[in-house]
Amino acid sequence: MKKIVVLTGAGMSVESGLKTFRDADGLWEEYPVQQVATHEGWLADPTLVTNFYNMLRRKCLNVKPNEGHKLVAELEKTYNVTVVTQNVDNLHEVAGSTKVIHLHGELMKVCSSNDPDDPRFQQLLTAENCEVEPGTKAGDGSLLRPFIVFFGEGVPMIEPAARETMEADIFVIIGTSLNVYPAAGLVRYTKPGTPIYLIDPSPAVGSGIDNLTHIQKGASEGMKELLKLLDSHK
């Protein structure tokens, strides 16, 4: 069974109604990134940060996977699929994808603020219990913080993502401009000659990548076209 690695960015979830952080009307317009997505912001006002992510979780609970998410999950019927996502929502999992690597953390998880990557103190929140009371402690006595990779922090899941990419027979990129590092560097880990498909409506992204097929559409329409192309190459 051929292995497909799918790298997804904010454009994957836009059709589901989630704002991207970088768009003109994105979340950073309303909340300065320094306040809600940096370690310094967390230290300065953990209550503000906790409440910001409580608000994001409430918004996310009303959002459903779009057809693009579902078609990515359907690839598992005929391929060995790993999804590597820059998104912190869980829409890939809700759509049915079974192997998802989250590079930038997971909105529905909280963790120790002393050591976010210690699995002993990570907690998965539920739809019924998605809010964290400011001041709540993790198992190690530190404040519970969002399980989100803040700006300036390391990206521990990039190494497993790179290992998966090195094994890919086909590499698919959906809804990311390839400007966000270190995720954008993943394409360099593909084996020589690996077919690369880029699904993104923007015309200028992806130039200079070998073996690239650019499907200039949004996630759902682009995935439909990709499935046709893959079927024709079988």
Side-chain angles (χ1 to χ4, degrees), residues 92-169:
H92 281 298
E93 288 92 337
V94 175
S97 289
T98 59
K99 190 172 183 183
V100 183
I101 295 174
H102 284 269
L103 293 178
H104 297 160
E106 297 177 60
L107 187 59
M108 292 304 290
K109 284 185 179 179
V110 287
C111 59
S112 154
S113 50
N114 277 348
D115 186 359
D117 299 315
D118 190 329
R120 293 176 298 169
F121 307 119
Q122 292 169 3
Q123 300 175 31
L124 181 64
L125 303 175
T126 62
E128 298 74 35
N129 182 26
C130 72
E131 297 193 29
V132 175
E133 188 69 31
T136 305
K137 301 280 179 70
D140 62 356
S142 69
L143 285 178
L144 266 186
R145 64 161 258 189
F147 184 59
I148 299 291
V149 176
F150 289 151
F151 283 88
E153 292 183 329
V155 182
M157 295 309 291
I158 197 71
E159 288 182 17
R163 286 196 296 271
E164 294 287 332
T165 301
M166 284 189 269
E167 296 173 2
D169 299 303

Side-chain angles (χ1 to χ4, degrees), residues 200-215:
D200 194 287
S202 305
V205 293
S207 56
I209 298 174
D210 292 335
N211 308 310
L212 180 76
T213 302
H214 186 181
I215 300 171

Side-chain angles (χ1 to χ4, degrees), residues 5-14 18 69 72 81-94 97 99-107 147-149 155-158 160-162 164-165 171-176 180 182-184 186:
V5 173
V6 183
L7 171 64
T8 67
M12 185 82 225
S13 297
V14 164
L18 283 180
H69 290 107
V72 168
V81 182
T82 299
V83 176
V84 178
T85 186
Q86 296 167 192
N87 300 334
V88 297
D89 61 59
N90 63 349
L91 294 176
H92 281 298
E93 288 92 337
V94 175
S97 289
K99 190 172 183 183
V100 183
I101 295 174
H102 284 269
L103 293 178
H104 297 160
E106 297 177 60
L107 187 59
F147 184 59
I148 299 291
V149 176
V155 182
M157 295 309 291
I158 197 71
E164 294 287 332
T165 301
F171 191 69
V172 180
I173 304 159
I174 307 173
T176 176
V180 181
L186 279 178

Side-chain angles (χ1 to χ4, degrees), residues 33-44:
V33 60
Q34 292 83 2
Q35 288 184 4
V36 295
T38 65
H39 187 63
E40 294 73 22
W42 166 257
L43 292 177

Side-chain angles (χ1 to χ4, degrees), residues 41-55:
W42 166 257
L43 292 177
D45 195 342
T47 296
L48 173 77
V49 176
T50 297
N51 285 330
F52 173 77
Y53 288 95
N54 283 340
M55 176 270 295

